[in-house]
Amino acid sequence: MRKKVGFRFAVPMLLTALLATACSGGATTNTAATDTGSAETGSESGELTTLRVLVMEPGTTWNSHQDSDVMKEIAAKVGVKVEYVEADENKFNVLLAGGDLPDIVRADPIKYQKQLIEGGLIVPMDDMLAEHGKDISANIPTVVDYSKKNWSNGTDSLYFLPPQVQPKPGSTVQPITIGPTIRWDWYKEIGAPELNTMDDLLDAVEQIVAKHPTTDDGKPVYGVSMWQDWGIWPYLIPPITFTEIAGTTSDLTAASVGTSDFISVLTDESSNFWTAMDFYNAAYRRGLLDPDSLTMKNNDYMAKATSGQIVVGPATWAMGDFNAQHTEDGTGYIVVPAGKLAWTGQVNPIGWSDKSYSISKSSKNPEKAMEFLNYIYSYEGARTMYNGIEGTHWTMEDGVPKLTAETLALKAKGGAEYEASGLSLDRNIIGLGGDFVDPNDGQPINLFTSEEALEQSATVLEKDFAEHYGAKYSGQVFQKMVDEGKLDTYTTWMEGLSDEEILKSSTVPGVVLPEDRKKQEASLKELAAREAAKIILSKDDASFEKAKQTALESFKKAGAEDFTEFYNSEVQRLRSEHGL
């Protein structure tokens, strides 16, 4: 891999805008730890406690698979039934204002710790940890200490626990879930051209739409689309693989991966926002942009993707159920190599912090909630949630855990049947990252990460994709390009650093915005969304430039550059206090 020059930046907060799915995180492992808490807390009476979990994520699949093998095992081991309460950002804030919350709240502590803690909406876990959180204490002590110091609103108590704690990169690249996600059979049909720029991507999309203007059932096919109920997400995330610029604890600032010098997303013309403006406007002027793009919600977008009406999207999980409905013929969407970066996941000693779990004061069963959280951080619990039940989905052979042939075949078939098993159903609710090694057997928690498993469990679509590039499984396509120096990853900048240096660089606290800056941020994001619509719908170069200059002036007048200066000063202060 190529080495990246620049200041080291704290990667744990690198992509708080991401929802479920994309990266893996990490923590320091206590190799003497054993599963103690969660496996002993099943319901002897057979009666289950329902735990409701508030998630800022509409359209999850969790609640629809309550009868899966994994859910049944959680019920048997912990005595709970876990149900999601889904909310978009507006509903989430309304629920917080009301104060009567579900048992567990999944939220970003950087943004919400003050409101949740000062408002008395969540409870400290310290007293419950000794009795009901032994695996948490043993397996992720670095996270516990970090959370007390940085996510306690100055109280030095434990309120938040992030999922996907991951100490080191894995030895393989799993199927990538974020990046240009294109209808593979159509892309291969036009020769799978290289996508070095977003203009290249649009050229490929245009060729595909010309060949396939409608779906098999006559619905119009759109080259590009997006949704509008996730703030300015559509303008920040899709360009990352081309720009190598990512945000942190604010949508208004971003830095090159592995660095700590932040630019203004709204006023720096090299940012993802302006890269996206060029892309979407070009798509509009070529007739490739879905006309509903500027008014559509995520659920509507997903429905169109399920119908096969969108050529390229930002992630595999954003393409609805199309792949699940076409498992036999291998037709479907897959992330393809593009730009400069492969989204292979991160090394996060403090996990996916923006999806951290807390226990609400409203919960009638806080101890049971603590037992459940302990289970997801136990080796037994995490392995079950990734791989299923020992003796059914995997077995121990000479002290080494191995997936059964039937489980590998189930994964290879994919689709609704695999999803219904509950295996790896939602990684946001698994405490340990898949590459986290279980010291009891020396193997990664997620058994699907071995080369053998990745090859044997590849779907028809993944096999066809891999074979096209001369690989055995989809992740190997990207791994070869990374090894050849053609693509960077989120961990390329870590090359040459010791484990201690990586840990230190990866645990710099994120910037916490004071209330006045939060209001400024919200106002600027609303302004950005309004201006984006005008820019994207510009009919020619002259009108685009006029709309762009108007927007730039508006952003500067509203304080975007002042905000960035404040943010950079806070980053440097935190780094200095952290010894960097």
Side-chain angles (χ1 to χ4, degrees):
M1 302 181 195
R2 291 173 292 174
K3 293 187 178 180
K4 187 180 291 291
V5 178
F7 296 101
R8 306 307 186 193
F9 175 63
V11 274
M13 318 277 186
L14 191 58
L15 292 168
T16 58
L18 275 181
L19 302 181
T21 68
C23 323
S24 56
T28 306
T29 309
N30 182 335
T31 56
T34 57
D35 279 313
T36 55
S38 56
E40 299 172 357
T41 57
S43 175
E44 294 180 3
S45 66
E47 295 181 4
L48 299 180
T49 298
T50 296
L51 295 177
R52 300 170 72 240
V53 182
L54 177 59
V55 299
M56 198 189 306
E57 185 183 342
T60 72
T61 57
W62 184 270
N63 290 345
S64 59
H65 295 296
Q66 291 292 335
D67 293 329
S68 70
D69 291 335
V70 170
M71 303 292 193
K72 290 176 181 177
E73 185 71 1
I74 293 173
K77 292 293 185 181
V78 194
V80 300
K81 176 183 179 182
V82 177
E83 293 181 353
Y84 279 4
V85 178
E86 300 177 6
D88 58 19
E89 188 170 358
N90 290 332
K91 181 181 176 182
F92 186 86
N93 286 318
V94 169
L95 289 172
L96 294 193
D100 186 16
L101 300 175
D103 300 275
I104 296 173
V105 178
R106 186 162 84 195
D108 185 348
I110 294 294
K111 295 182 179 180
Y112 291 102
Q113 61 178 289
K114 182 179 178 67
Q115 182 178 358
L116 289 168
I117 295 172
E118 288 189 2
L121 300 178
I122 59 177
V123 298
M125 304 180 197
D126 306 75
D127 291 342
M128 291 184 285
L129 199 63
E131 184 176 355
H132 302 293
K134 294 179 181 178
D135 291 296
I136 293 171
S137 297
N139 298 345
I140 57 166
T142 297
V143 174
V144 171
D145 291 343
Y146 184 95
S147 182
K148 288 181 178 182
K149 183 178 180 180
N150 298 288
W151 299 335
S152 68
N153 201 39
T155 65
D156 200 33
S157 295
L158 179 65
Y159 283 96
F160 295 96
L161 289 169
Q164 288 295 309
V165 175
Q166 182 65 57
K168 298 179 181 180
S171 59
T172 58
V173 176
Q174 300 174 56
I176 291 180
T177 59
I178 291 198
T181 308
I182 203 162
R183 176 74 180 266
W184 171 246
D185 54 328
W186 290 351
Y187 180 56
K188 188 173 68 168
E189 181 185 17
I190 65 168
E194 288 189 8
L195 305 177
N196 296 313
T197 67
M198 294 196 84
D199 283 340
D200 292 341
L201 176 60
L202 212 52
D203 289 342
V205 168
E206 189 169 33
Q207 291 183 60
I208 290 171
V209 173
K211 287 179 173 289
H212 303 278
T214 62
T215 63
D216 292 341
D217 56 355
K219 294 177 181 176
V221 169
Y222 305 109
V224 179
S225 189
M226 57 179 145
W227 58 91
Q228 297 297 326
D229 52 339
W230 288 12
I232 57 174
W233 193 96
Y235 312 135
L236 304 181
I237 301 302
I240 286 178
T241 55
F242 295 93
T243 65
E244 294 188 279
I245 298 174
T248 54
T249 61
S250 173
D251 286 342
L252 300 184
T253 61
S256 295
V257 173
T259 70
S260 59
D261 186 12
F262 287 83
I263 63 172
S264 169
V265 164
L266 300 184
T267 64
D268 191 307
E269 295 180 36
S270 69
S271 73
N272 289 355
F273 179 86
W274 286 108
T275 302
M277 292 303 99
D278 288 335
F279 177 75
Y280 289 123
N281 176 248
Y284 168 71
R285 286 158 67 177
R286 294 195 200 188
L288 301 174
L289 184 66
D290 179 356
D292 295 329
S293 292
L294 297 173
T295 57
M296 192 161 48
K297 293 186 176 182
N298 177 259
N299 285 340
D300 301 317
Y301 173 98
M302 297 281 270
K304 284 190 177 183
T306 297
S307 298
Q309 292 182 261
I310 301 170
V311 174
V312 66
T316 55
W317 47 261
M319 307 316 292
D321 292 330
F322 187 91
N323 285 17
Q325 295 177 2
H326 296 82
T327 55
E328 300 294 338
D329 59 15
T331 301
Y333 295 93
I334 197 165
V335 177
V336 298
K340 309 170 185 177
L341 188 72
W343 199 306
T344 58
Q346 298 168 254
V347 175
N348 280 340
I350 56 169
W352 291 354
S353 58
D354 60 314
K355 304 184 191 307
S356 296
Y357 291 93
S358 58
I359 298 175
S360 79
K361 188 175 182 179
S362 305
S363 176
K364 296 179 181 178
N365 300 284
E367 291 81 9
K368 214 61 178 168
M370 192 75 223
E371 290 173 8
F372 169 71
L373 291 179
N374 187 68
Y375 182 75
I376 70 175
Y377 291 97
S378 70
Y379 297 123
E380 176 189 355
R383 180 159 283 164
T384 296
M385 296 179 83
Y386 281 114
N387 311 286
I389 318 304
E390 181 178 4
T392 301
H393 300 99
W394 58 277
T395 59
M396 294 295 292
E397 299 178 12
D398 298 324
V400 178
K402 295 279 189 179
L403 293 162
T404 66
E406 292 78 11
T407 301
L408 290 168
L410 179 67
K411 175 67 168 62
K413 183 178 180 182
E417 187 176 351
Y418 174 70
E419 187 176 278
S421 71
L423 276 61
S424 302
L425 182 63
D426 185 354
R427 299 192 178 207
N428 296 297
I429 207 169
I430 307 178
L432 305 179
D435 290 314
F436 199 111
V437 174
D438 182 345
N440 299 304
D441 54 41
Q443 298 302 307
I445 295 292
N446 184 359
L447 303 178
F448 285 102
T449 63
S450 72
E451 282 205 345
E452 179 184 15
L454 286 169
E455 184 176 352
Q456 292 181 14
S457 66
T459 65
V460 174
L461 170 63
E462 291 167 348
K463 286 179 180 177
D464 188 56
F465 167 77
E467 288 172 1
H468 178 84
Y469 291 96
K472 295 181 179 180
Y473 55 90
S474 62
Q476 194 177 64
V477 173
F478 294 88
Q479 185 64 64
K480 285 184 175 182
M481 292 184 177
V482 170
D483 292 342
E484 293 167 1
K486 295 178 180 178
L487 292 173
D488 286 333
T489 73
Y490 280 106
T491 58
T492 298
W493 67 270
M494 296 179 183
E495 290 182 353
L497 297 182
S498 66
D499 290 348
E500 292 75 16
E501 288 172 323
I502 292 173
L503 178 64
K504 190 172 184 65
S505 296
S506 301
T507 52
V508 179
V511 174
V512 179
L513 299 178
E515 289 304 313
D516 60 333
R517 293 294 182 178
K518 283 185 179 180
K519 292 178 181 178
Q520 183 184 26
E521 180 189 46
S523 177
L524 278 163
K525 286 167 65 175
E526 290 177 2
L527 177 62
R530 292 197 301 271
E531 295 298 328
K534 301 173 188 176
I535 297 165
I536 290 168
L537 297 180
S538 299
K539 296 183 178 180
D540 52 41
D541 289 346
S543 57
F544 178 86
E545 188 61 27
K546 181 179 179 180
K548 178 178 182 178
Q549 293 305 318
T550 299
L552 285 168
E553 291 174 11
S554 298
F555 297 152
K556 291 175 182 177
K557 186 176 180 181
E561 293 183 337
D562 170 69
F563 182 95
T564 306
E565 288 179 12
F566 161 80
Y567 196 92
N568 267 320
S569 67
E570 283 295 287
V571 167
Q572 297 311 317
R573 178 183 66 81
L574 291 165
R575 286 174 55 80
S576 178
E577 291 178 357
H578 198 64
L580 293 174

